[in-house]
């Protein structure tokens, strides 16, 4: 017997229509690329999204066509999120920090027809336009007064001119909720970027989960600032979650340094934020150096890389900000697990709460997880066994664009995350490593993440990374690579001494090498591939 309920499709356009009707004056505040702060309410944002949709139809954009964006977090990018997906076209957000070769590869692979670009990112398009035969229009996201001249891109269009004169009265079309809505490529830290195609259904379901009390608990009383870029897994869904829940949205534009983020948070009384660990390190240091406090901030969702425990402690001790540790992937829309205090746990002493926050979190409803051994057999969720992590759920990828990466999918519907983890009896998940980064010493695994986090707590250490180096007896041994804090002169022996008691003795890195800067990829993660290349001729001390 089937249920007798209506089968209404879940569509992204419903979110913006709902926000326009329910929260017309709740603001989106943007630091624009042109300079000034721009503010308007969800009603105006919805009208302009419709004007944009009408303009896209005028340019000949059809359902299923890919529309690329190379842009920071800002209100015009917000309008593209709704205007493109709303007419059944596919929003393809490109990461401006990628190399020109990657940008060209991805735009061609996606077959982008139109590309929207922020004013200060136009040189990226100019650098690759000769290699993009499928792109018919390039639109600069600015007004006429700021329009640049370009000798390289013919017939540049101006965003404000494109939408001006459009009525903004379009009624969003209805279609199958499984229709593609947006497209995001994996950041390519582990091989060629692969396309992840989200659907309207997966996006709406993921958004409901993000808004829920178990994750961010968003309400009209909140003001949310996603530092995580709108080109990094749809800003982790916050660009949908804020309008759905009536929260105000603050978009920081290109200024992601500690001082600029602090100023915006302070002026707009931001209470919830989200981003990768590297940006928070810059913000915490800015506050420390200038004696500032994050007065309105209550929680921040941090993920994308493991969070050093020292960061969780600092946020709480120095700012009373609760860190929500999240783990996820572009392939998972992205959220899979997040810190969730179970009944009674919030009352625990600080150190015990931080123990919970230092783990990657507990799965949110909708995400199933299991760990398996090399032969694919299930391992126990006992907090001891560690294995390849597999996931499944309604907002998890079912296949990559154009059938690539088939090896990541099992025949019975699970996705191989490429992460190695443990799962505890209470479902808490702890990532040991990426399977490609794990160090195999004498047949046992050493977690590069645990070593890095421990080393980050050492006075004088600004940043730490660990890679495996070939060893004649043990196969591989850990090499710790450290960037010193400005003015610090911490030595190899001091770092090794600091680690005593914090890690298993046999995990102690065989050597510590100091370098000026650790390379980061386009989404802020440590680029282990570049570090391995840097140390390819290095041999461990033999003593
Ligand atoms: P890419 O896979 O291309 O690097 P993603 O941004 O999708 O891009 O990265 C997902 C990966 O990032 C995860 O598989 C995991 O290895 C890592 N990651 C994300 N969040 C965390 C976290 N909280 N702790 C440890 N690793 C994390």
């Amino acid at each position: 017997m089937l249920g007798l309920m209506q089968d209404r499709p879940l569509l992204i356009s419903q979110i913006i229509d709902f926000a326009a009707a329910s929260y017309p004056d709740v603001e989106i505040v943007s630091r624009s690329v042109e300079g000034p702060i721009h503010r308007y309410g969800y009603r105006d944002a919805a009208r302009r999204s419709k004007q944009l949709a009408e303009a896209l139809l005028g340019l000949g954009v059809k359902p299923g066509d890919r529309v690329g964006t190379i842009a920071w977090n800002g209100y015009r990018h917000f309008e593209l999120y709704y205007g493109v997906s709303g007419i059944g076209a596919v929003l393809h957000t490109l990461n401006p920090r990628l190399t020109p070769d990657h940008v060209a590869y991805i735009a061609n692979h996606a077959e982008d027809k139109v590309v929207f670009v922020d004013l200060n990112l136009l040189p990226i398009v100019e650098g690759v336009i000769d290699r993009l035969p499928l792109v018919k229009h390039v639109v600069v996201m600015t007004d006429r007064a700021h329009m640049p001249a370009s000798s390289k891109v013919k017939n540049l269009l101006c965003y404000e001119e494109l939408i001006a004169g459009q009525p903004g009265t379009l009624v969003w079309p209805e279609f199958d909720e499984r229709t593609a809505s947006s497209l995001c490529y994996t950041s390519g830290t582990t091989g060629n970027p692969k396309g992840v195609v989200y659907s309207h259904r997966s996006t709406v379901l993921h958004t409901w989960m993000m808004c829920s009390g178990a994750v961010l608990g968003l309400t009209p009383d909140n003001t949310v600032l996603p530092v995580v870029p709108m080109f990094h897994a749809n800003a982790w869904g916050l660009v949908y979650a804020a309008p759905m829940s009536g929260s105000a949205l603050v978009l920081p534009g290109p200024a992601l340094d500690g001082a600029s983020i602090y100023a915006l948070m302070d002026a707009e009384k931001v209470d919830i934020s989200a981003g990768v660990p590297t940006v928070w390190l810059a913000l915490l240091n800015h506050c420390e150096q200038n004696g500032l406090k994050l007065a309105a901030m209550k929680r921040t969702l941090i993920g994308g890389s493991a969070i050093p425990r020292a960061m969780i402690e600092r946020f709480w001790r120095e700012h009373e900000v609760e860190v929500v540790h999240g783990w996820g992937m572009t392939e998972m829309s992205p959220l899979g697990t997040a810190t969730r205090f179970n009944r009674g746990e919030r009352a625990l002493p600080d150190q015990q709460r931080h123990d919970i926050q230092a783990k990657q979190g507990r799965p949110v409803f909708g995400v199933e997880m299991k760990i398996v051994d090399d032969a694919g057999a299930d391992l126990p969720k006992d907090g001891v066994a560690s294995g390849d992590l597999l996931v499944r759920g309604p907002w998890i990828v079912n296949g990559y664009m154009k059938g690539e990466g088939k090896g990541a999918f099992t025949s019975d519907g699970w996705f191989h995350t490429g992460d190695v983890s443990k799962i505890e009896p209470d479902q808490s998940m702890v990532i040991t490593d990426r399977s490609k980064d794990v160090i195999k010493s004498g047949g046992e695994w050493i977690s590069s993440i645990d070593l890095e986090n421990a080393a980050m707590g050492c006075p004088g250490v600004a940043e730490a990374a660990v890679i495996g180096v070939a060893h004649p007896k043990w196969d591989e041994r850990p090499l710790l690579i450290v960037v010193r804090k400005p003015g610090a002169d911490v030595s190899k022996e001091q770092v090794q001494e600091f680690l005593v008691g914090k890690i298993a003795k046999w995990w102690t890195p065989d050597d510590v090498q100091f370098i000026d800067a650790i390379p980061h990829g386009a989404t802020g993660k440590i680029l282990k591939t570049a570090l391995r290349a840097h140390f390819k001729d290095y041999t461990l001390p033999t003593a």
Side-chain angles (χ1 to χ4, degrees):
M1 180 177 171
L2 290 178
L4 292 174
M5 305 309 282
Q6 297 182 3
D7 197 7
R8 299 282 300 143
L10 304 173
L11 298 176
I12 288 171
S13 52
Q14 293 156 352
I15 300 177
I16 192 69
D17 274 353
F18 178 77
S22 309
Y23 311 113
D25 300 317
V26 172
E27 280 187 328
I28 301 177
V29 180
S30 312
R31 192 194 292 279
S32 66
V33 175
E34 296 89 341
I37 298 284
H38 175 277
R39 24 189 6 124
Y40 63 1
Y42 284 123
R43 178 181 33 219
D44 288 344
R47 183 179 42 78
R48 281 173 50 95
S49 301
K50 290 188 173 188
Q51 288 179 288
L52 172 71
E54 289 157 350
L56 288 170
L57 294 171
L59 289 178
V61 172
K62 304 251 172 337
D65 282 351
R66 268 76 77 193
V67 175
T69 64
I70 306 181
W72 307 110
N73 294 6
Y75 67 102
R76 294 189 183 105
H77 207 177
F78 179 96
E79 292 160 10
L80 281 153
Y81 261 59
Y82 291 93
V84 173
S85 304
I87 55 168
V90 183
L91 177 84
H92 172 208
T93 51
L94 284 104
N95 186 334
R97 299 186 186 119
L98 292 173
T99 61
D101 282 349
H102 267 150
V103 171
Y105 171 84
I106 289 174
N108 281 323
H109 191 272
E111 300 171 34
D112 291 337
K113 283 224 173 98
V114 185
V115 173
F116 285 77
V117 60
D118 257 338
L119 194 51
N120 65 346
L121 299 174
L122 182 60
I124 297 177
V125 179
E126 291 181 322
V128 295
I129 192 72
D130 291 347
R131 290 190 263 165
L132 305 180
L134 301 174
V135 170
K136 299 213 166 48
H137 306 282
V138 176
V139 186
V140 185
M141 296 159 68
T142 192
D143 55 16
R144 177 45 61 186
H146 293 90
M147 269 303 276
S150 176
S151 54
K152 301 214 178 77
V153 185
K154 308 269 165 327
N155 307 324
L156 267 190
L157 296 174
C158 164
Y159 186 98
E160 291 301 329
E161 279 180 357
L162 188 66
I163 70 166
Q166 300 291 346
T169 51
L170 170 134
V171 176
W172 298 114
E174 253 184 39
F175 39 75
D176 189 324
E177 63 180 8
R178 293 165 300 176
T179 302
S181 56
S182 64
L183 165 63
C184 191
Y185 279 72
T186 58
S187 50
T189 39
T190 52
N192 244 348
K194 291 189 283 297
V196 178
V197 186
Y198 307 106
S199 70
H200 285 259
R201 173 185 157 82
S202 71
T203 304
V204 173
L205 292 174
H206 180 264
T207 305
W208 263 320
M209 179 274 297
M210 285 298 289
C211 295
S212 69
V215 184
L216 288 178
L218 295 183
T219 73
D221 290 327
N222 295 121
T223 299
V224 183
L225 187 155
V227 184
V228 53
M230 288 166 74
F231 51 77
H232 189 187
N234 295 329
W236 300 349
L238 292 174
V239 178
Y240 305 113
M244 184 186 270
S245 48
S247 304
L249 195 56
V250 181
L251 301 173
L256 299 175
D257 58 290
S260 307
I261 294 290
Y262 179 84
L264 204 52
M265 283 183 160
D266 191 49
E268 300 301 329
K269 306 216 171 354
V270 170
D271 58 357
I272 294 182
S273 189
V276 298
T278 31
V279 300
W280 299 122
L281 202 56
L283 179 71
L284 286 171
N285 289 342
H286 172 77
C287 291
E288 188 179 37
Q289 281 151 19
N290 298 283
L292 303 170
K293 185 147 177 169
L294 297 165
M297 275 284 291
K298 293 200 187 82
R299 323 192 256 297
T300 183
L301 173 63
I302 309 185
S305 308
I307 316 175
R309 188 191 169 101
M311 180 177 286
I312 297 169
E313 289 171 356
R314 275 184 78 184
F315 261 115
W316 185 247
R317 196 177 58 235
E318 296 167 16
H319 301 283
E320 286 165 64
V321 171
E322 186 175 278
V323 168
V324 180
H325 191 161
W327 164 85
M329 305 178 74
T330 301
E331 288 89 333
M332 300 175 69
S333 298
L335 200 69
T337 62
T339 304
R340 187 178 63 245
F341 291 115
N342 285 343
R343 185 184 284 255
E345 288 179 343
R346 212 177 270 281
L348 289 170
D350 286 358
Q351 289 311 318
Q352 279 167 265
R353 269 201 339 280
H354 296 333
D355 287 343
I356 295 173
Q357 289 166 293
K359 296 172 191 172
Q360 271 68 18
R362 291 164 170 152
V364 295
F365 175 75
V367 173
E368 292 173 74
M369 305 190 309
K370 65 173 181 175
I371 47 174
V372 300
D373 64 16
D374 288 347
D378 288 4
L379 289 168
K381 297 181 179 178
D382 58 5
V384 180
S386 140
D388 290 320
L389 177 63
L390 276 66
V391 290
R392 66 179 180 191
W395 53 80
I396 293 168
V397 67
N398 192 26
Y400 289 106
M401 178 118 172
K402 301 189 174 170
E404 287 168 3
K406 287 211 167 68
F409 304 91
T410 69
S411 53
D412 57 348
W414 292 84
F415 169 66
H416 269 279
T417 62
D419 287 333
V420 176
S421 80
K422 296 175 191 167
I423 302 176
E424 302 182 351
D426 72 1
Q427 302 295 304
S428 294
M429 197 269 284
V430 177
I431 298 266
T432 320
D433 238 317
R434 279 213 140 176
S435 46
K436 291 191 175 61
D437 295 340
V438 79
I439 297 155
K440 292 176 197 92
S441 175
E444 299 277 348
W445 285 354
I446 296 178
S447 160
S448 66
I449 293 182
D450 284 356
L451 280 182
E452 286 159 6
N453 286 345
M456 289 281 285
C458 178
V461 171
E463 200 172 9
V466 172
I467 56 171
V469 178
H471 188 281
K473 179 164 176 205
W474 302 110
D475 258 355
E476 267 186 339
R477 288 294 302 161
L479 165 67
L480 175 61
I481 300 156
V482 164
V483 178
R484 290 189 181 100
K485 279 192 178 155
D489 61 355
V490 57
S491 67
K492 165 182 168 177
E493 290 70 27
Q494 284 169 327
V495 177
Q496 286 177 326
E497 180 62 26
F498 176 82
L499 292 175
V500 173
K502 298 187 176 69
I503 51 166
K505 192 155 179 275
W506 65 277
W507 283 25
T508 306
D510 289 36
D511 193 12
V512 182
Q513 290 277 310
F514 295 91
I515 60 175
D516 292 338
I518 284 177
H520 289 101
T523 51
K525 291 177 218 277
I526 294 174
L527 260 189
K528 298 261 171 112
T529 41
L531 277 179
R532 284 191 203 104
H534 184 94
F535 285 95
K536 75 176 180 334
D537 297 325
Y538 168 89
T539 48
L540 289 167
T542 44

